[in-house]
Amino acid sequence: MWGWWRFGKWTVLIMFLHIIAILIFTKGFLLTRTELPHSSHCSDLSQSPCHSSPSSSSCWTKPAVDRLIIIVLDALRFDFVAPSSFFEEKQPWMDKLKVLQRMASENPSSAKIFKAIADPPTTSLQRLKGLTTGALPTFIDVGNSFGAPAIVEDNFINQLIQNGKRVVMMGDDTWTQLFPNHFNKSYPYPSFNVKDLNTVDNGCIEHLLPSLYQQDWDVLIAHFLGVDHAGHIHGVDSTPMIEKLEQYNAVLEKVIKELQNQSGPGKLHENSLLLVMGDHGQTLNGDHGGGSPEEVETSIFAMSFKDLPSLPSEFDSSSCEPSKNICISSIPQLDFAVTVSSLLGVPFPFGSIGRVNPELYALAVCTWNLDDDKTWNNQDQTKLEEWLQNYANVLCINSWQVKRYIDVYSASSVIGFSSEDLFRISDLYSKADENWSYTKNLSSYKNGSSNTSLPVLKRQIVAYSNFLSYVAELARSKWTEFNLKMMGTGIGIMLLSLYCHTLAIKKLNKSYGVSLLSSRDSGISFGLMLTFFMVLIRAGSLLSNSYILKEGKAANFLLATTGIMTLRYSFMKNKMLIEAAIFLLLTFIFRIAIEVGLYKQAATSQFMSSSSSWMLGISISQSLWTYMAEIMPILALIVLGYFLYKSIYSCCWGIPKYVIMGTILCYFLVALHWISESNILDLAHFLKGFGKNCIPRTVYAITLVQLSLLAIVPMFCKEETSNCRGSLFVKMMSILSACSSTIIILQGKQGALVALGSLLAGYCMMRLQGVEQHTVSGTAGISILDPLPVLQWSLLAVCLLFASGHWCAFDGLRYGAAFVGFDEFILIPQAILLTIDTFGFSNILSVFGLPLFVAFPSSFNQTEHKSLFPIKLFWIFMVYGLITAITAAATILCVTIQRRHLMVWGLFAPKFVFDVVGLILTDLLIFVASIYYFNGLEDRIGNAELRRLW
């Protein structure tokens, strides 16, 4: 391995620099906001200018409700709840939660539908954390979505426990992870098996209705997951989704009926409040995590069980549908924690920056001191004044709490808010507070004129609302504490790694007799210029959010451009015309696959309604296309198996022969697995019980045995051939075949088609490499290396990522792949499977397939000496790594420049995460692949010859 280390040390150095650069930059860019250890206490209110209720049982605010029922329907889209008349076009999934619409229509003053706006990213963990703390989410928490850590910040649940409230939880076990030892009773169920639509929901139903009759709780939380899982697996426009919504409607109808029956005077739910809400929305194909309107818009249905007067019009933001007598208001989820805390009479979470929402607050607090009057009128001015006085006092406490938090945060945090921001905050708060001493005394003048006091109270409420709104918007725009020094250091180290990368390639070219120049000594070759130009265009495109959204199409366009250039040279030389034409045809096919993937990303679950055969993008209801969708992937597997079978008898021997035979067996098992799941052949009984997981696990086991043999056997057995090209080809076929079966079964039926397309494209690239070079004369000992095929291979890898149904966002992860062969969530196996599914084609197979350009001689250069094979192989690895590193560096520069962009957390940050993870994985794979392929070359080429060159 002496020869490998002579150059392999560069790969180690570059990988080390990449890791250091990314860690430092990430520390500066994805900093979590400082989580303060402080908690709010009842006694804190004495420090505020606000007066508390004289009641000894109250804390910051007088409790307005005795019991609170929170039913969370995970991934509840807004159009699941709102009437279809609010939308331009009625869809099949609308108007299924009829009981909520009926209650809002029949009891408009005591039941209301809200459009709740979440702050991205819209993963379940971050939404639950934001809902309970009243703080904005931090992007870095997305990484914890599969292993939720306990919340250490002050939060609504913690305040309930500290103030003697009893909490019962049932459903999603994320709650018990976030709030360990907080619940008097808990009935958690595992939440990450997205194929399971019923276990969590059935558990909630089992415990929810009986709990309504019990007196051992003050707050009940039931978190249903069926809609979220149905969306991930089947999409919104699917039968399982409709069935789930109808099931929820039946459950909610029973819940509301029981609450109404027990809401009479002196009964258990006389003063209860029901909240039915979502934590986030979902796209039409069931994904969430980003910041699109479909993902951030969810709903809250609130219902009190008393007849209430209407809210003063000044504080009512409803939009109404007259035909159905339904009005819908809007509420930021940021306001949820502080509003519910005020209703229950517990201190507001210390870090909350939300505002007590007047419309949700009025559903319970309007019951104070009211007789039988149902509307505000001129004779009810006293009651209106009492309500406004009370709400102004609540907003005073709310504003004081937010101002206290901002002051403590700015003093404790390393960076905090700027002095200008703090001055503006203080100025707004001072203006809101300066007349409070006068306003709060209005209640003592019972005989005073309401015409004077009401405008003063309304102005006071507006002043506090302006202050709270400003703080919330400021936090949204500047919450993340960008550490520019650390970001700059990370960028500097990243640029240093690019310099080292370029230096390594240059030293290789200079020391070992290889050249990037034109064979006619006319300067830099066209291939090098075109490669440089394409890499520059791709890097520059990352500065635009539009190009990031269409990254797959942009990469395909660049790949097609290089294909046109090679076709031009093929015409000029009258060689390889068929290969050039096939390559262009394949780029067109990949373009269609990418378009289908973008269509799926944008707005449809049509392609998922039958199986994973969405790659056709054609109505599955047509029998012809149904048969094609089922048969074509199996035919692609047969073709792949045939290629492997031919390779066994042409040039394979020893262990590689058995490895490839194992892959052919895996292909047969994968085909059997797909046939068993087919909608055409009713063989579902074949997969019942253990059988459903048996085939995938068998494929995984065979893959592990294959990889172990390829890694261990060469250490003890030396190959007896001196054919370097043949040996390199056999090694490449062995490792690619060993990895392919697992990747294909995880990808689903489109995986076989993508694999076959990538194989054909790689063959055409190999045949066409060097096509633009002219015949060399008098250049013995010089190998002209063309970077264009390596660039094409890199662009193809990007196309494969998007053609296989992925994109660079957290909702672009195919979570269902993590459960192929598994029913239960186990972190490490599921994380590995999800990684293989995401990066299988674009990184794993692409890196191990790079020797394709060395194993076969170029049709335009048949004179290369075998001693140049390891050098050319290392050169290809380094160029491929450099192209990947330049793209990642451009992404890092992009997110630095766009760090204040509106879409930074919804688009640029996920792109950054995907690119840097892909870069580290590529570095690691290049390191492993170089050791794997270089092992044994010294014996075949000759140590003396290698030492002469190295």
Side-chain angles (χ1 to χ4, degrees):
M1 297 297 291
W2 176 87
W4 173 87
W5 176 247
R6 183 72 180 272
F7 190 77
K9 61 187 178 184
W10 286 101
T11 64
V12 176
L13 173 62
I14 291 168
M15 181 168 58
F16 175 76
L17 289 175
H18 286 166
I19 293 174
I20 296 300
I22 290 169
L23 288 177
I24 293 177
F25 182 86
T26 301
K27 187 68 176 176
F29 176 63
L30 296 183
L31 275 176
T32 58
R33 55 181 172 78
T34 305
E35 294 186 342
L36 302 181
H38 306 292
S39 295
S40 297
H41 303 280
C42 287
S43 58
D44 295 345
L45 195 60
S46 61
Q47 305 169 17
S48 77
C50 315
H51 71 278
S52 61
S53 170
S55 172
S56 59
S57 62
S58 63
C59 185
W60 284 17
T61 60
K62 181 178 179 178
V65 297
D66 298 327
R67 311 189 96 195
L68 177 65
I69 302 97
I70 301 175
I71 299 178
V72 181
L73 306 181
D74 205 289
L76 182 71
R77 288 169 56 99
F78 175 60
D79 57 6
F80 286 168
V81 179
S84 58
S85 55
F86 277 81
F87 304 94
E88 294 181 357
E89 182 180 356
K90 183 176 180 179
Q91 300 294 344
W93 58 84
M94 295 180 180
D95 297 331
K96 300 304 178 184
L97 299 177
K98 296 181 182 296
V99 64
L100 302 185
Q101 297 179 10
R102 188 174 71 250
M103 291 296 106
S105 176
E106 295 175 355
N107 309 285
S109 62
S110 59
K112 198 172 189 68
I113 295 174
F114 294 84
K115 177 193 283 188
I117 309 299
D119 290 288
T122 48
T123 58
S124 292
L125 165 68
Q126 293 195 273
R127 287 293 80 236
L128 293 182
K129 187 173 181 179
L131 283 168
T132 54
T133 61
L136 291 173
T138 50
F139 185 84
I140 199 67
D141 287 335
V142 173
N144 294 323
S145 289
F146 291 100
I151 295 179
V152 297
E153 279 188 293
D154 192 17
N155 57 80
F156 163 59
I157 303 296
N158 182 58
Q159 286 297 331
L160 292 175
I161 303 304
Q162 284 186 1
N163 291 273
K165 301 292 185 180
R166 299 160 299 171
V167 186
V168 172
M169 190 286 303
M170 57 199 69
D172 187 349
D173 62 352
T174 304
W175 286 89
T176 56
Q177 299 174 41
L178 292 173
F179 308 103
N181 306 317
H182 279 63
F183 303 110
N184 294 71
K185 288 183 181 180
S186 62
Y187 307 97
Y189 296 88
S191 58
F192 285 112
N193 185 2
V194 293
K195 294 181 179 179
D196 184 355
L197 307 186
N198 298 313
T199 298
V200 177
D201 290 358
N202 291 341
C204 286
I205 296 170
E206 177 185 353
H207 297 286
L208 175 57
L209 292 174
S211 296
L212 297 179
Y213 296 94
Q214 298 172 3
Q215 301 183 23
D216 59 351
W217 56 268
D218 300 298
V219 176
L220 184 150
I221 300 171
H223 191 141
F224 291 74
L225 276 176
V227 161
D228 180 69
H229 289 183
H232 282 305
I233 299 300
H234 304 285
V236 170
D237 187 7
S238 64
T239 300
M241 179 65 77
I242 303 302
E243 292 174 348
K244 268 294 159 189
L245 292 173
E246 291 173 345
Q247 180 191 28
Y248 287 176
N249 185 69
V251 172
L252 292 173
E253 196 156 12
K254 292 178 181 179
V255 169
I256 292 174
K257 182 179 179 180
E258 294 301 328
L259 292 174
Q260 287 177 329
N261 290 339
Q262 302 179 61
S263 62
K267 292 187 177 181
L268 187 59
H269 293 291
E270 176 186 6
N271 195 22
S272 295
L273 180 68
L274 171 66
L275 296 177
V276 180
M277 60 186 295
D279 54 348
H280 51 73
Q282 57 177 302
T283 62
L284 290 184
N285 60 295
D287 296 319
H288 58 88
S292 68
E294 289 179 309
E295 295 166 280
V296 300
E297 291 180 1
T298 181
S299 185
I300 295 178
F301 169 81
M303 182 175 184
S304 177
F305 296 92
K306 285 191 175 182
D307 291 333
L308 306 173
S310 302
L311 183 71
S313 59
E314 293 90 339
F315 310 109
D316 192 341
S317 62
S318 301
S319 60
C320 299
E321 177 60 43
S323 62
K324 292 197 174 184
N325 194 32
I326 293 180
C327 295
I328 295 180
S329 300
S330 181
I331 177 175
Q333 280 192 350
L334 192 67
D335 297 346
F336 177 81
V338 67
T339 304
V340 174
S341 295
S342 67
L343 293 176
L344 288 168
V346 298
F348 307 162
F350 187 89
S352 172
I353 58 171
R355 178 187 67 144
V356 176
N357 183 270
E359 294 164 275
L360 181 55
Y361 184 73
L363 285 176
V365 182
C366 277
T367 62
W368 284 6
N369 302 322
L370 291 178
D371 298 322
D372 295 330
D373 295 322
K374 304 297 187 287
T375 58
W376 300 108
N377 49 58
N378 294 330
Q379 290 74 35
D380 205 17
Q381 293 296 316
T382 302
K383 294 172 184 176
L384 173 57
E385 182 184 343
E386 289 176 357
W387 188 89
L388 292 175
Q389 177 75 27
N390 175 68
Y391 183 59
N393 183 64
V394 170
L395 284 187
C396 174
I397 298 172
N398 191 180
S399 301
W400 165 80
Q401 168 261 323
V402 170
K403 179 63 165 59
R404 178 184 65 165
Y405 171 67
I406 294 297
D407 291 341
V408 174
Y409 181 86
S410 299
S412 304
S413 179
V414 175
I415 299 177
F417 293 99
S418 67
S419 57
E420 292 81 3
D421 294 332
L422 291 175
F423 176 80
R424 174 64 174 161
I425 291 173
S426 297
D427 182 58
L428 282 175
Y429 182 74
S430 298
K431 290 179 179 178
D433 191 53
E434 63 184 3
N435 292 325
W436 175 244
S437 59
Y438 167 75
T439 304
K440 71 179 181 178
N441 290 326
L442 287 175
S443 59
S444 63
Y445 299 101
K446 298 296 183 183
N447 298 322
S449 172
S450 294
N451 293 331
T452 303
S453 60
L454 288 179
V456 173
L457 286 169
K458 291 177 181 179
R459 284 196 299 270
Q460 187 69 55
I461 291 172
V462 169
Y464 280 134
S465 298
N466 290 339
F467 164 76
L468 293 168
S469 298
Y470 176 79
V471 172
E473 290 305 315
L474 179 66
R476 283 190 177 95
S477 64
K478 298 187 176 181
W479 193 257
T480 302
E481 299 176 350
F482 297 115
N483 190 327
L484 295 181
K485 290 183 179 179
M486 296 190 73
M487 293 172 66
T489 302
I491 292 173
I493 297 175
M494 193 69 191
L495 295 177
L496 176 62
S497 73
L498 295 181
Y499 173 77
C500 293
H501 225 136
T502 307
L503 182 63
I505 295 174
K506 186 177 180 180
K507 285 176 66 69
L508 184 66
N509 296 341
K510 182 178 180 180
S511 302
Y512 308 126
V514 294
S515 174
L516 288 172
L517 301 180
S518 170
S519 57
R520 297 189 300 173
D521 295 328
S522 60
I524 298 177
S525 68
F526 176 79
L528 178 59
M529 290 189 295
L530 182 60
T531 300
F532 177 79
F533 185 61
M534 291 294 178
V535 171
L536 190 64
I537 291 178
R538 175 157 160 69
S541 69
L542 298 177
L543 290 170
S544 167
N545 61 302
S546 299
Y547 278 99
I548 291 178
L549 287 170
K550 308 295 184 184
E551 182 181 6
K553 295 166 69 174
N556 183 265
F557 172 79
L558 296 177
L559 182 63
T561 302
T562 63
I564 293 173
M565 299 307 300
T566 55
L567 179 63
R568 172 178 176 268
Y569 280 108
S570 295
F571 271 114
M572 291 173 59
K573 293 191 173 184
N574 198 25
K575 289 184 178 181
M576 303 298 171
L577 290 175
I578 295 178
E579 286 85 348
I582 292 176
F583 179 73
L584 276 179
L585 176 62
L586 287 170
T587 60
F588 175 72
I589 294 174
F590 281 126
R591 176 68 172 78
I592 295 175
I594 292 169
E595 191 68 39
V596 170
L598 289 174
Y599 186 47
K600 169 181 175 288
Q601 171 188 357
T604 187
S605 60
Q606 169 188 356
F607 309 110
M608 304 171 70
S609 59
S610 173
S611 65
S612 54
S613 57
W614 53 263
M615 62 281 182
L616 293 176
I618 301 170
S619 176
I620 303 298
S621 61
Q622 302 177 31
S623 59
L624 174 63
W625 298 118
T626 301
Y627 280 99
M628 290 184 62
E630 300 287 355
I631 293 174
M632 286 179 60
I634 297 176
L635 291 178
L637 270 185
I638 293 174
V639 174
L640 290 172
Y642 175 76
F643 285 156
L644 293 179
Y645 176 80
K646 293 292 290 183
S647 68
I648 291 177
Y649 289 95
S650 60
C651 56
C652 285
W653 55 86
I655 292 299
K657 178 178 180 179
Y658 296 104
V659 169
I660 293 177
M661 289 176 63
T663 301
I664 295 175
L665 173 62
C666 287
Y667 286 172
F668 172 77
L669 293 175
V670 173
L672 182 63
H673 183 65
W674 291 344
I675 291 173
S676 302
E677 291 184 327
S678 171
N679 292 329
I680 301 175
L681 301 175
D682 187 14
L683 298 177
H685 63 278
F686 180 84
L687 293 177
K688 285 185 178 179
F690 180 74
K692 182 179 65 173
N693 298 327
C694 181
I695 291 178
R697 291 184 180 183
T698 302
V699 172
Y700 302 155
I702 293 174
T703 299
L704 285 175
V705 172
Q706 291 173 309
L707 295 176
S708 300
L709 290 174
L710 293 175
I712 296 173
V713 172
M715 298 181 182
F716 305 98
C717 301
K718 301 294 183 182
E719 298 179 19
E720 298 180 356
T721 179
S722 60
N723 183 355
C724 295
R725 292 191 190 276
S727 176
L728 195 60
F729 172 74
V730 168
K731 279 197 162 193
M732 182 186 68
M733 290 297 297
S734 300
I735 190 70
L736 291 179
S737 66
C739 297
S740 64
S741 54
T742 294
I743 295 173
I744 288 174
I745 198 171
L746 291 177
Q747 289 278 334
K749 293 180 182 178
Q750 75 268 19
L753 297 176
V754 174
L756 181 60
S758 62
L759 176 65
L760 295 175
Y763 172 79
C764 294
M765 290 181 195
M766 175 272 298
R767 295 282 290 166
L768 291 168
Q769 62 174 322
V771 65
E772 82 281 0
Q773 296 176 7
H774 296 268
T775 304
V776 182
S777 59
T779 58
I782 298 294
S783 177
I784 300 174
L785 300 180
D786 183 11
L788 186 58
V790 185
L791 171 68
Q792 291 177 319
W793 192 250
S794 175
L795 293 173
L796 177 64
V798 179
C799 293
L800 294 179
L801 175 69
F802 289 86
S804 57
H806 302 86
W807 55 89
C808 294
F810 294 108
D811 54 359
L813 296 173
R814 299 174 64 252
Y815 296 105
F819 293 92
V820 175
F822 294 89
D823 288 328
E824 302 296 329
F825 176 76
I826 308 173
L827 180 61
I828 295 179
Q830 263 67 64
I832 293 173
L833 292 179
L834 189 61
T835 302
I836 293 173
D837 172 74
T838 305
F839 298 104
F841 283 118
S842 61
N843 292 76
I844 299 174
L845 294 186
S846 295
V847 170
F848 282 108
L850 282 169
L852 181 70
F853 301 109
V854 181
F856 290 93
S858 168
S859 301
F860 305 95
N861 187 2
Q862 301 277 355
T863 61
E864 286 184 343
H865 193 273
K866 66 179 182 179
S867 62
L868 291 176
F869 293 162
I871 297 171
K872 186 174 181 180
L873 181 60
F874 270 124
W875 183 88
I876 288 176
F877 278 139
M878 294 299 292
V879 172
Y880 185 88
L882 178 61
I883 293 173
T884 306
I886 290 174
T887 302
T891 301
I892 290 175
L893 288 172
C894 165
V895 297
T896 302
I897 295 171
Q898 305 282 16
R899 65 186 182 276
R900 296 300 182 193
H901 193 281
L902 180 64
M903 301 179 67
V904 62
W905 302 124
L907 180 66
F908 293 106
K911 170 62 176 170
F912 163 76
V913 171
F914 272 78
D915 275 10
V916 297
V917 170
L919 175 62
I920 297 300
L921 183 60
T922 298
D923 288 340
L924 183 61
L925 289 171
I926 288 175
F927 174 77
V928 173
S930 61
I931 295 177
Y932 169 75
Y933 286 119
F934 192 82
N935 184 34
L937 279 179
E938 291 174 325
D939 298 326
R940 286 186 289 274
I941 294 176
N943 288 324
E945 182 68 18
L946 269 179
R947 292 180 187 278
R948 181 183 68 81
L949 287 168
W950 290 73

